[in-house]
């Protein structure tokens, strides 16, 4: 990094990826900043710069070793940052670049978890920790119990059909204790203290009214007259139910809005789909199976614009997954329970072919590759419509 580049960075002030610190910061306090960045998207700490951007510089000769010791002993698990010094106006600024942690969540040696929020850090809440552990693959939210639920919240007819088709026995003919044992071993029930409760996944696949206990489930659908969200809303629906029901109902709604242009060739009228039904279905299945259900404040949102369809799913991509990896078929099971049961019901496979298939079909149909991007705490899939 050059002195000019560093001056420009300092002039823009602190932000979600940049923090200023004086040289006299205590190791335990610096470790908190490092942990917050590692638990977020990474970031840079400039040591020798005041909060107001005034360049004070650093004096200690062992700065690099001191910082590496903090990253090794005050951060758990330890991390390896990038370090360099830059000379500015006769003063030396230490630049510590913290990578996005591959082994999240990170904590300080005092056992505290921090996350980055805007230009500051804060202690992680229980919900924050749940997301971090889920991203790391250490905890799968879809098999956590939902307090206050029980067998009464399961659709026994749906359960019976599933077990008859895939396990070849009638679960309703089993004695109550044996039935509970089977459902527990299948991760449909889980223990919350001394009580058996339905899991998140159990409700989403077999629940009578999943949205009653999981208001974040389901899909919020809206159709707009124009090409942006400020356009007039022509239709608006909230689609709730089990995942198979939600996918089927939303797919039908979207397909009904797509005009099917017809061409006369010879003596026959040939119709052409403006959007293949398999693409709609795959996009919706991908959203409901892979969204982050620990984010309780929002549903999956499907927006139908005049020129495109957007599927916005709560939750960033897991640690090891990138958009480029998704394009070539890399698959990651954020919700392995949901993936397993939706695969058994023939809604999905584990081969990671969904996104590559969508890309290929859409490029062949309209000549435009679908949009795949992370925006804030959401993942957006955009399907562009042809003329």
């Amino acid at each position: 990094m050059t002195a000019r580049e560093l001056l420009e960075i300092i002039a823009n002030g602190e932000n979600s990826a940049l923090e200023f610190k004086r040289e006299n910061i205590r190791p335990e306090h610096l470790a908190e900043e490092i942990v917050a960045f590692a638990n977020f998207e990474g970031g840079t700490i400039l040591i020798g710069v005041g909060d107001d951007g005034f360049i004070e510089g650093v004096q200690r000769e062992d700065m690099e070793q001191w910082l590496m010791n903090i990253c090794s002993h005050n951060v758990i698990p330890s991390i390896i940052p990038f370090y360099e010094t830059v000379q500015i106006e006769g003063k030396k600024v230490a630049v510590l670049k913290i990578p996005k942690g591959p082994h999240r969540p990170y904590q300080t040696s005092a056992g505290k978890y921090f996350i980055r929020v805007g230009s500051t850090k804060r202690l992680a809440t229980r919900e924050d920790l749940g997301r971090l552990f889920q991203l790391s693959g250490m905890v799968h939210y879809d098999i956590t119990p939902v307090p206050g639920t029980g067998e009464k919240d399961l659709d026994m007819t749906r359960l019976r059909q599933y077990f008859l088709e895939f396990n070849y026995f009638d679960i309703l003919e089993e004695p109550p204790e044996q039935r509970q044992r089977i459902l527990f071993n299948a991760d449909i029930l889980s223990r919350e203290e001394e009580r058996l409760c339905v899991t998140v996944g159990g409700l989403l696949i077999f629940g009578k009214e999943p949205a009653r206990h999981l208001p974040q489930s389901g899909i919020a659908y809206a159709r707009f007259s124009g090409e942006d969200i400020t356009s007039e809303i022509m239709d608006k629906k909230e689609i709730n139910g089990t995942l198979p029901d939600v996918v089927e109902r939303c797919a039908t709604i979207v397909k009904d809005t797509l005009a099917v242009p017809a061409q006369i060739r010879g003596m026959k009228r040939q119709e052409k789909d403006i959007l293949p039904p398999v693409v709609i279905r795959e996009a919706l299945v991908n959203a409901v199976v892979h969204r982050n259900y620990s984010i309780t404040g929002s549903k999956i949102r499907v927006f139908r614009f005049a020129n495109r369809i957007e599927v916005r799913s709560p939750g960033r991509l897991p640690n090891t997954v990138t958009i480029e990896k998704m394009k070539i078929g890399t698959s990651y099971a954020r919700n392995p329970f949901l993936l397993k049961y939706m695969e058994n019901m023939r809604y999905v496979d584990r081969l990671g072919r969904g996104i590559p298939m969508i890309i290929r079909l859409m490029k062949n149909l309209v000549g435009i590759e679908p949009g795949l991007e992370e925006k804030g705490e959401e993942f957006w899939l955009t399907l562009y419509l042809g003329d």
Side-chain angles (χ1 to χ4, degrees):
M1 183 184 298
T2 66
R4 177 177 293 182
E5 290 172 337
L6 187 56
L7 284 171
E8 290 178 357
I9 290 173
I10 294 173
N12 289 327
E14 294 178 318
N15 54 48
S16 61
L18 181 66
E19 181 72 20
F20 301 156
K21 288 299 174 188
R22 291 186 169 89
E23 183 181 18
N24 63 355
I25 184 171
R26 295 176 61 85
E28 59 269 25
H29 293 159
L30 184 58
E32 294 175 358
E33 303 291 348
I34 294 170
V35 163
F37 277 129
N39 281 334
F40 186 55
E41 295 297 305
T44 300
I45 301 174
L46 301 182
I47 302 171
V49 181
D51 290 339
D52 58 359
F54 178 74
I55 300 172
E56 301 174 351
V58 296
Q59 301 296 324
R60 62 187 303 161
E61 296 295 328
D62 64 340
M63 177 61 71
E64 181 176 4
Q65 181 180 351
W66 181 68
L67 291 174
M68 295 304 157
N69 285 338
I70 292 174
C71 292
S72 177
H73 303 304
N74 295 75
V75 176
I76 302 173
S78 62
I79 66 168
I80 301 176
F82 172 82
Y83 172 83
E84 66 176 328
T85 58
V86 179
Q87 293 284 343
I88 300 179
E89 302 169 355
K91 299 175 183 178
K92 186 167 64 175
V93 174
V95 179
L96 191 70
K97 293 185 178 180
I98 311 301
K100 176 182 177 180
H103 304 297
R104 293 183 286 180
Y106 291 81
Q107 61 179 310
T108 67
S109 56
K112 295 181 179 179
Y113 296 87
F114 290 88
I115 61 170
R116 191 78 178 172
V117 179
S119 61
T120 62
K121 71 175 187 304
R122 68 166 167 81
L123 277 169
T125 64
R126 179 180 177 182
E127 290 75 19
D128 295 328
L129 282 175
R131 294 184 199 126
L132 288 170
F133 278 108
Q134 185 181 8
L135 285 170
S136 72
M138 297 171 67
V139 172
H140 296 296
Y141 189 77
D142 58 343
I143 58 172
T144 58
V146 179
T149 61
E151 277 192 75
K152 63 180 178 14
D153 297 296
L154 292 171
D155 184 333
M156 288 301 176
T157 299
R158 190 184 297 266
L159 264 175
R160 180 175 184 269
Q161 292 172 344
Y162 179 88
F163 276 89
L164 282 172
E165 181 173 358
F166 298 104
N167 298 91
Y168 309 109
F169 69 90
D170 190 340
I171 194 169
L172 296 188
E173 293 182 354
E174 300 293 327
E177 289 186 4
Q178 175 66 6
R179 184 173 64 244
Q180 285 188 348
R181 188 176 299 110
I182 292 169
L183 295 179
F184 180 84
N185 290 332
D187 289 325
I188 295 170
L189 295 179
S190 184
R191 197 169 299 281
E192 172 75 8
E193 295 180 352
E194 298 301 318
R195 179 179 177 181
L196 282 177
C197 298
V198 185
T199 61
V200 170
L203 284 174
L204 291 172
I205 300 295
F206 300 110
K208 291 179 181 177
E209 298 178 80
R212 179 182 175 188
H213 300 281
L214 301 170
Q216 71 270 34
S217 66
I219 293 175
Y221 168 84
R223 182 183 181 188
F224 299 87
S225 61
E227 298 183 0
D228 60 67
I229 206 166
T230 63
S231 306
E232 178 187 357
I233 296 179
M234 302 174 65
D235 190 18
K236 187 176 181 182
K237 291 181 172 66
E238 189 167 296
I239 306 166
N240 293 313
T242 62
L243 298 195
D245 290 342
V246 165
V247 168
E248 299 295 348
R249 288 169 55 200
C250 191
T252 298
I253 291 169
V254 172
K255 285 187 286 187
D256 287 346
T257 70
L258 299 173
V260 181
Q263 294 180 342
I264 304 299
R265 292 188 178 180
M267 300 297 292
K268 296 182 178 180
R269 179 177 183 271
Q270 295 184 348
E271 295 184 344
K272 178 182 178 182
D273 288 326
I274 192 172
L275 191 65
V278 67
V279 168
I280 301 170
R281 178 186 172 97
E282 188 64 37
L284 295 173
V285 168
N286 190 70
V288 300
V289 169
H290 296 297
R291 71 149 286 181
N292 188 340
Y293 284 97
S294 70
I295 298 177
T296 58
S298 59
K299 294 177 176 285
I300 294 167
R301 294 182 292 169
V302 175
F303 292 158
R304 166 70 161 96
F305 295 100
N307 65 338
R308 69 190 186 282
I309 294 170
E310 291 180 356
V311 181
R312 304 182 180 184
S313 303
R316 302 179 66 85
L317 294 176
N319 274 359
T320 58
V321 178
T322 66
I323 289 173
E324 292 306 313
K325 287 182 179 180
M326 291 177 66
K327 290 181 178 181
I328 61 172
T330 297
S331 180
Y332 176 87
R334 185 200 299 273
N335 300 305
F337 175 98
L338 298 182
L339 182 62
K340 170 187 172 182
Y341 282 88
M342 291 293 278
E343 179 187 31
N344 287 348
M345 295 176 178
R346 300 179 181 88
Y347 279 88
V348 68
D349 65 42
R350 293 175 181 261
L351 303 180
R353 297 181 295 178
I355 293 298
M357 179 272 291
I358 290 175
I359 291 173
R360 176 175 55 82
L361 290 180
M362 294 306 295
K363 285 182 71 174
N364 291 340
L365 184 66
V366 300
I368 305 174
E369 187 172 301
L372 301 169
E373 55 188 328
E374 286 183 305
K375 291 195 175 183
E377 290 299 317
E378 288 186 318
F379 178 77
W380 291 19
L381 169 63
T382 303
L383 303 172
Y384 298 100
L385 306 177
D387 297 329

